[in-house]
Amino acid sequence: MTDLNNHVILVTGANRGQGKAIAQHLAASGAIVGVGARNYDEAGEVVRQIGEKNSFPVQLDVTKEAEWKLAVDKIIDEFGRIDVLVNNAGAFKRQAFRDMTSDDYQQLISVNQLGVFIGMQSVIPQMEKQQKGSIINNVSISAFAPISRSAAYASTKSAVVAMSKAAAVELGPSGIRVNMVHPGGIKTDMVPENQEVSSYYDSVPLGRIGQPDDIAKVVAFLASNESSYCTGTEIVVDGGMTLGTPDE
């Protein structure tokens, strides 16, 4: 298991799904994990499951600058540093392009794009002081291989890719690394359970749907010193889905 002993890490959207799995795995790897969530009670429940020795709840609506400031200040006051930020929180809406309103689009921009931007800006000053830090943006294969009725979602994810790469160039001299994970289909509450879905994932090269831990392990690698020469990197975790289906 990747060694993250005493790394101080903030994970957003960590109250369920991929975010919860990421928080649990990082804590099991030795990290001290801030479980960020818009619902503080749900963050507290995850902390109870992980253990208060290795985690703590953080009130964090990623669209609100004031909550970012409070969250980051709290972590720095308590631990004197913040080693890693995992921007995991996201919103998904599948809707025909012609039917999507500007309000619908703005909602996705606020969470998926602006939330990542504010988060990165919030931790950069402390990471610059440390001359070290890792920012990991959990994006999506939709950034480069969108499905139908996902134009708004896919465009917000593509924007995060461009922002991450530009930030990696700019922040590298300060010892700050910025990397991306691109999940494919992952078994969470967002994925319906039916025969059609199951049959589809049987057809991808690795023959199964992804599990939240598949993402968590890659995040742990990017959070650790094992990836110290990686920045601007995109790691695709999709079982080969974007490669096509194997011939029989």
Side-chain angles (χ1 to χ4, degrees):
M1 182 177 286
T2 301
D3 181 11
L4 291 170
N5 190 43
N6 291 324
H7 281 58
V8 178
I9 303 177
L10 173 60
V11 183
T12 70
N15 53 319
R16 60 170 64 93
Q18 291 181 45
K20 180 179 177 181
I22 290 167
Q24 290 173 324
H25 185 77
L26 296 178
S29 300
I32 302 167
V33 182
V35 178
R38 186 170 52 183
N39 186 316
Y40 188 78
D41 291 338
E42 291 182 4
E45 177 57 33
V46 174
V47 167
R48 283 188 285 277
Q49 294 173 24
I50 294 175
E52 294 183 2
K53 180 180 178 181
N54 294 95
S55 63
F56 56 96
V58 178
Q59 174 66 49
L60 185 55
D61 179 335
V62 298
T63 68
K64 297 180 178 178
E65 290 189 64
E67 291 196 10
W68 270 109
K69 179 171 172 44
L70 287 172
V72 173
D73 285 351
K74 174 185 175 182
I75 293 170
I76 294 170
D77 287 345
E78 179 71 21
F79 301 101
R81 68 189 195 281
I82 181 164
D83 300 303
V84 182
L85 168 65
V86 182
N87 278 313
N88 168 78
F92 177 74
K93 184 166 187 153
R94 195 170 183 194
Q95 190 172 4
F97 188 86
R98 66 174 67 86
D99 297 331
M100 180 162 282
T101 67
S102 58
D103 286 342
D104 292 330
Y105 195 4
Q106 185 61 56
Q107 181 182 15
L108 291 179
I109 290 172
S110 294
V111 178
N112 296 345
Q113 187 175 333
L114 185 62
V116 173
F117 169 79
I118 300 171
M120 292 173 69
Q121 281 205 327
S122 298
V123 300
I124 285 169
Q126 178 60 31
M127 289 183 174
E128 285 179 331
K129 289 180 184 178
Q130 300 166 181
Q131 284 291 290
K132 186 177 183 181
S134 174
I135 296 171
I136 303 158
N137 294 329
N138 197 13
V139 195
S140 169
I141 59 171
S142 292
F144 56 89
I147 58 176
S148 65
R149 294 182 288 124
S150 68
Y153 174 78
S155 65
T156 62
K157 295 299 185 176
S158 293
V160 170
V161 171
M163 177 168 58
S164 300
K165 290 182 177 181
V169 172
E170 184 174 341
L171 300 174
S174 297
I176 302 171
R177 301 183 295 113
V178 184
N179 293 294
M180 294 154 277
V181 180
H182 292 302
I186 304 298
K187 188 174 176 58
T188 67
D189 292 341
M190 292 176 66
V191 177
E193 289 194 34
N194 57 54
Q195 186 57 43
E196 182 180 356
V197 170
S198 178
S199 296
Y200 172 77
Y201 285 104
D202 287 342
S203 72
V204 306
L206 290 185
R208 67 174 177 87
I209 192 171
Q211 299 298 320
D213 267 356
D214 292 322
I215 305 303
K217 291 170 184 175
V218 175
V219 169
F221 166 70
L222 292 174
S224 75
N225 294 332
E226 293 176 8
S227 60
S228 62
Y229 202 54
C230 294
T231 197
T233 298
E234 300 175 75
I235 301 181
V236 177
V237 190
D238 72 346
M241 185 189 309
T242 50
L243 299 175
T245 57
D247 291 332
E248 293 295 338

